[in-house]
Amino acid sequence: MNKIATYMDREHRRCDEQYAVAEAAIARKDWDMAEDDFAAFLRMFELHLDKEERVLFPRLDRAMGNAYGPTAVMRAEHGHMRDTLCEMSAALTRRDAEDFFDNADTLRVLMHQHNLKEEGILYPHADRALVEQADAIIASMESLALAEAGSPA
């Protein structure tokens, strides 16, 4: 049973879908809609990263007895994606579609490579190493989502 992998893979797809909505609005130069859609994507994406960094990775690190292995690489990649997203946000604020899409090309490559590692290696490993904790891990991640939904925007 691949509970963690299934849950996290689903999150990747939802983030991808929301990003596509934002990107389409930017391509149309519907700036107000683009700002709203991109902000929604950023909230969704940051929540996903939070779930990994605050819930999944620490438990996986404990199970592996190593905080400097695969999760350290994933955290570093999260930082690169966050940096690129900051550049994209700045371009959107300036209403500079060309700069936005230049950075989007970088993000697309980073996310594709990152997701392949998570979906192909890290999440399946988490399902094996944390099989007894899977339900509690998912519940903790859902608690983060509920707390985020309840906080003021």
Side-chain angles (χ1 to χ4, degrees), residues 47-146:
L47 177 59
H48 172 75
L49 297 183
D50 249 9
K51 289 177 179 182
E52 291 179 339
E53 293 170 352
R54 293 175 55 194
V55 178
L56 180 60
F57 292 175
R59 292 197 186 176
L60 195 52
D61 289 342
R62 280 192 298 278
M64 294 186 308
N66 179 3
Y68 302 102
T71 61
V73 172
M74 296 296 104
R75 285 181 181 96
E77 291 179 4
H78 288 177
H80 292 138
M81 288 186 282
R82 284 179 173 117
D83 292 344
T84 303
L85 287 165
C86 283
E87 294 294 323
M88 294 167 73
S89 291
L92 181 56
T93 298
R94 292 189 313 274
R95 298 182 179 218
D96 184 343
E98 184 177 341
D99 189 37
F100 180 91
F101 285 114
D102 285 347
N103 283 290
D105 291 340
T106 300
L107 181 68
R108 210 174 337 277
V109 170
L110 290 171
M111 285 180 73
H112 177 72
Q113 292 173 346
H114 181 79
N115 289 353
L116 283 175
K117 288 181 238 175
E118 284 185 339
E119 293 171 8
I121 300 167
L122 191 73
Y123 297 159
H125 178 69
D127 275 323
R128 289 187 301 277
L130 303 169
V131 67
E132 300 295 324
Q133 301 174 50
D135 290 333
I137 289 168
I138 291 168
S140 292
M141 289 191 279
E142 283 298 302
S143 291
L144 281 179
L146 291 172

Side-chain angles (χ1 to χ4, degrees), residues 4-14 16 48 115 118-120 123-124:
I4 295 169
T6 300
Y7 179 86
M8 298 307 283
D9 290 353
R10 196 173 314 128
E11 288 226 329
H12 282 173
R13 300 296 83 75
R14 282 196 297 262
D16 291 345
H48 172 75
N115 289 353
E118 284 185 339
E119 293 171 8
Y123 297 159

